[in-house]
Amino acid sequence: MSEQNEVAKELIMKHIFNRLWKKESFSPSFIIGIWINPYFIIRKGLIKGVRNISTYVKGGSLLDVGCGSKPYREIFDVDEYIGIDVKVSGHNHSSSNIDKFYDGKTIPFEDDSFDHVFSSEVFEHVFDIDEHLNEINRVLKVEGQLCFTCPFVWDEHEQPYDFARYTSFAVKHLLKKHGFELVEFNKSTSYFETVFQMLSAYVFQHVLPNNKYVKLFLTPILIAPINILGLILGKILPKADGFYHNNIVVAKKTEKKQVS
């Protein structure tokens, strides 16, 4: 019986650790995340951006395109939250929470099905962004919200399914082209926050040993000081907004695009 109790305790502790790790990965805190998350700066900017996005999304139905594990589900106050994703991508789906898989081209819902569409860090993995935005336009109701984040500065990831980066000008052009009106646009990080996040990512990925336990031990020693210095310099040095991590976007569907 004592052996079974020990196994049960171990499973409970593992579950608690995994939940904490997931939380600190996507919504890092200054108390814990800044010390253990090598991507603290970019994630801090993203979670702030998604929370701002969520203020535009109230009630109704929401489609999360490229939902993965639905890390932001609890942020949105909606009546229905549906997530879709592709089966084959640059990561496995062991921790995913997907309602429906699709082919990455045709969204498997009728026209005008959703009040809101949300997508975070997905557009860079879409080879034909015009086709993708046409599909989002199709399933979104007129006056419905399209809310998304996508990177301007980040290294290649989920290879080989990484196809694009978007400037603020490209985002605005694409929205207008596909029947959307820009409601709010923000950039997630400052110039020096972006510089130091890239340095932190480089050290974590290419300097620290591959052993995950050694990495976990060394991250607070070597990575956290880079995070902290980047945040400080980002606040005190002159502002320059041409070098940043992510586009944070809220748009409204103003017209139904006719797809030939």
Side-chain angles (χ1 to χ4, degrees):
M1 183 64 70
S2 60
E3 184 177 344
Q4 290 177 338
N5 289 339
E6 288 301 317
V7 171
K9 288 179 182 178
E10 184 178 340
L11 289 174
I12 291 170
M13 291 302 297
K14 184 177 180 179
H15 176 71
I16 293 172
F17 177 81
N18 287 338
R19 288 191 62 182
L20 177 63
W21 187 264
K22 179 181 176 182
K23 176 185 177 300
E24 294 298 334
S25 294
F26 287 94
S27 180
S29 64
F30 282 93
I31 297 175
I32 300 175
I34 199 168
W35 301 102
I36 67 171
N37 189 342
Y39 309 113
F40 177 84
I41 292 175
I42 188 172
R43 284 295 172 186
K44 175 188 70 70
L46 273 172
I47 191 64
K48 179 181 178 181
V50 174
R51 284 178 177 145
N52 182 63
I53 280 173
S54 72
T55 63
Y56 291 88
V57 178
K58 299 297 180 183
S61 56
L62 181 147
L63 177 67
D64 185 340
V65 179
C67 65
S69 62
K70 295 181 183 172
Y72 305 117
R73 169 65 185 92
E74 299 306 317
I75 294 177
F76 291 95
D77 181 17
V78 292
D79 302 315
E80 183 181 33
Y81 192 108
I82 296 175
I84 63 173
D85 213 323
V86 295
K87 286 185 178 180
V88 179
S89 65
H91 63 87
N92 66 57
H93 289 297
S94 59
S95 61
S96 293
N97 182 15
I98 298 164
D99 297 302
K100 185 176 289 191
F101 285 102
Y102 81 119
D103 62 5
K105 293 180 178 292
T106 303
I107 295 177
F109 293 97
E110 299 296 323
D111 295 5
D112 309 311
S113 293
F114 295 95
D115 300 290
H116 320 281
V117 171
F118 169 69
S119 190
S120 184
E121 305 305 280
V122 172
F123 285 9
E124 73 271 26
H125 302 295
V126 177
F127 186 77
D128 190 337
I129 192 64
D130 291 305
E131 177 184 63
H132 190 62
L133 287 171
N134 279 339
E135 274 295 285
I136 289 175
N137 179 288
R138 181 182 65 78
V139 300
L140 186 62
K141 298 175 183 177
V142 174
E143 300 294 313
Q145 306 283 353
L146 166 59
C147 307
F148 66 92
T149 76
C150 66
F152 169 55
V153 172
W154 197 240
D155 56 5
E156 289 183 346
H157 58 288
E158 298 188 21
Q159 298 152 322
Y161 305 100
D162 190 1
F163 304 117
R165 296 293 180 271
Y166 296 97
T167 67
S168 59
F169 305 102
V171 167
K172 293 167 187 176
H173 169 76
L174 285 167
L175 289 172
K176 185 176 180 180
K177 179 181 178 181
H178 292 281
F180 295 97
E181 175 186 302
L182 184 65
V183 175
E184 183 170 340
F185 177 90
N186 292 295
K187 298 175 179 181
S188 67
T189 53
S190 67
Y191 197 106
F192 268 89
E193 285 177 334
T194 306
V195 169
F196 275 78
Q197 173 59 88
M198 297 311 297
L199 176 60
S200 177
Y202 174 81
V203 172
F204 184 77
Q205 294 172 14
H206 304 292
V207 176
L208 297 188
N210 288 328
N211 184 287
K212 65 179 181 179
Y213 298 107
V214 176
K215 275 192 171 184
L216 187 63
F217 174 75
L218 291 177
T219 294
I221 299 170
L222 299 179
I223 303 296
I226 300 174
N227 290 339
I228 294 168
L229 183 59
L231 292 173
I232 293 172
L233 292 178
K235 295 295 184 185
I236 66 176
L237 289 176
K239 302 299 181 183
D241 66 356
F243 193 65
Y244 61 98
H245 276 305
N246 302 97
N247 302 286
I248 310 294
V249 184
V250 179
K252 178 174 66 174
K253 175 178 170 179
T254 55
E255 62 176 304
K256 187 176 181 67
K257 300 299 288 185
Q258 298 299 321
V259 182
S260 57

